[in-house]
Amino acid sequence: MAREAGVSHVTVSRVLNNHPSVRPETRARVEAAIEKLGYRRNSVARALKSRRSSTIGVVLAGTELYELPRILRGVQTAAQRAGYWVNLASWQGGTTVDLTETLQRLTDQAVEAVAVIADRPMAVDALTGVVTGVPMTVIMSGNVPNPDLGFVELDQELGARLAVRHLTGLGHRHIVHLTGSLRTFDARARVEGWRAGMRETPGARGELLEGDFTGNSGYRLAHYLVTREGHERPTAIFAGNDQMAMGVLAAFAELGVKVPGDVSLVGFDDIAGAAYLVPALTTVRQDFVTLGARSIEQLLRMMQGEPASSERIAPELIVRRSTAPPRPSA
């Protein structure tokens, strides 16, 4: 390239690094040579030499990360705003050694920090003794028993309490919770919130039925609630997420159960389209984009020398038309 431009290798290096001492006409010749020869910088080699890659690694540690696109949008936007690229890797369970190898591959590429998006305790257990040599934070995990790791999560337990308080405030006392997969942090935290909310109200009663966060499980469990013999129908249902709530609505429509006339229904997540269901779904809104962005902001602080910290983001109850006071005879 230096020969093509008629300059020294030092001058080419100065142009590539945008050094101000290069004359405009010389810079133009070098840039023309770069374009002609199709030169591309070896960013990996430069990163390994300087230990600065302007890249943050993100590990997807789970198979039930339903809101992953919105989380990644927040991660990507915050990282780019700070001048960083994102490098993705995946760990779908296995041993601590497997996870350590995944993290090592990222650090071998000179990433400057790592965010792990985890959906279940197995991932956090594997992180307990991990040492990466770069700042690391965990997203959606609950507390991690490793003081060197930060964590950022949505306060799912609070969200569930808000849902139950809304229903008990309307007068409901018989509230069934259709859970998501209890292997996940999300489902377990929402169960704890449901239990806490029920304890707050004298006379409140209910039961847990486990689903798997899919519309099919909501549909199946709603059929079971209505058709089983010897059990009183609940006046309200708190679904593990909006997809399960959609399954409940479909089952109730087939069975002639009116929402909210016969049974009130609350979902969780406020997915796109929840406001346009019939009836419009009361749900708990979680800001997944902010979750992703806050994880990067925490990593940036840790990269500046601040200690690891924890942060919970409060959700918001969105009241629509799927909830109402129970019938007087209920």
Side-chain angles (χ1 to χ4, degrees):
M1 186 190 311
R3 181 181 302 173
E4 178 71 27
V7 298
S8 69
H9 292 290
V10 172
T11 299
V12 171
S13 177
R14 287 174 176 170
V15 171
L16 290 173
N17 290 289
N18 202 27
H19 197 282
S21 66
V22 182
R23 290 183 297 179
E25 59 271 22
T26 302
R27 184 182 300 277
R29 288 208 314 275
V30 173
E31 290 174 347
I34 290 172
E35 183 68 24
K36 179 179 178 180
L37 297 175
Y39 171 78
R40 294 293 181 270
R41 309 180 79 170
N42 190 331
S43 59
V44 173
R46 291 180 69 247
L48 291 174
K49 182 178 180 179
S50 66
R51 301 306 300 171
R52 283 193 55 82
S53 63
S54 296
T55 302
I56 293 173
V58 176
V59 178
L60 313 180
T63 58
E64 296 178 83
L65 301 168
Y66 291 102
E67 296 298 333
L68 184 59
R70 287 198 278 176
I71 297 171
L72 288 178
R73 188 163 83 239
V75 165
Q76 184 79 15
T77 299
Q80 287 188 344
R81 188 164 53 237
Y84 287 84
W85 296 95
V86 171
N87 189 349
L88 292 178
S90 178
W91 179 76
Q92 300 302 323
T95 66
T96 301
V97 172
D98 296 330
L99 179 57
T100 301
E101 288 178 354
T102 300
L103 294 168
Q104 187 62 51
R105 286 176 186 153
L106 286 173
T107 55
D108 285 347
Q109 298 171 47
V111 297
E112 297 184 40
V114 175
V116 179
I117 306 175
D119 71 346
R120 61 191 62 191
M122 180 175 62
V124 169
D125 291 344
L127 288 169
T128 300
V130 163
V131 177
T132 63
V134 299
M136 184 161 70
T137 193
V138 188
I139 305 172
M140 293 180 67
S141 66
N143 201 3
V144 182
N146 184 334
D148 295 326
L149 306 184
F151 80 89
V152 183
E153 67 171 341
L154 296 160
D155 195 336
Q156 318 247 4
E157 185 174 339
L158 172 60
R161 290 205 309 272
L162 292 175
V164 174
R165 287 170 183 169
H166 170 64
L167 291 170
T168 57
L170 290 171
H172 294 280
R173 294 296 180 268
H174 188 182
I175 304 168
V176 168
H177 180 27
L178 308 182
T179 80
S181 170
L182 292 176
R183 296 176 300 175
T184 66
F185 292 111
D186 292 0
R188 293 184 183 190
R190 293 170 198 181
V191 166
E192 290 306 307
W194 174 80
R195 286 175 172 155
M198 296 291 279
R199 288 195 296 266
E200 292 174 355
T201 304
R205 68 191 193 282
E207 63 182 305
L208 295 173
L209 297 175
E210 184 178 1
D212 59 10
F213 286 128
T214 66
N216 180 65
S217 69
Y219 176 88
R220 172 176 51 81
L221 292 173
H223 259 277
Y224 170 73
L225 282 173
V226 173
T227 59
R228 64 180 177 173
E229 297 182 356
H231 290 80
E232 180 185 357
R233 183 191 302 168
T235 66
I237 292 174
F238 169 40
N241 67 354
D242 291 348
Q243 285 93 341
M244 291 186 69
M246 291 168 64
V248 172
L249 286 174
F252 281 180
E254 290 180 2
L255 296 168
V257 177
K258 296 179 181 179
V259 176
D262 298 320
V263 180
S264 284
L265 177 64
V266 179
F268 210 104
D269 289 338
D270 195 27
I271 62 173
Y276 303 101
L277 297 172
V278 180
L281 184 64
T282 294
T283 186
V284 177
R285 175 179 294 163
Q286 302 196 98
D287 192 340
F288 292 98
V289 175
T290 295
L291 175 68
R294 292 278 181 84
S295 70
I296 297 301
E297 291 165 3
Q298 184 182 88
L299 281 176
L300 293 172
R301 292 193 298 270
M302 293 170 69
M303 290 160 67
Q304 295 299 317
E306 292 189 19
S309 61
S310 62
E311 180 178 3
R312 285 187 172 89
I313 301 170
E316 177 186 5
L317 178 71
I318 305 299
V319 178
R320 298 192 178 108
R321 300 180 65 89
S322 67
T323 52
R327 294 183 185 276
S329 59

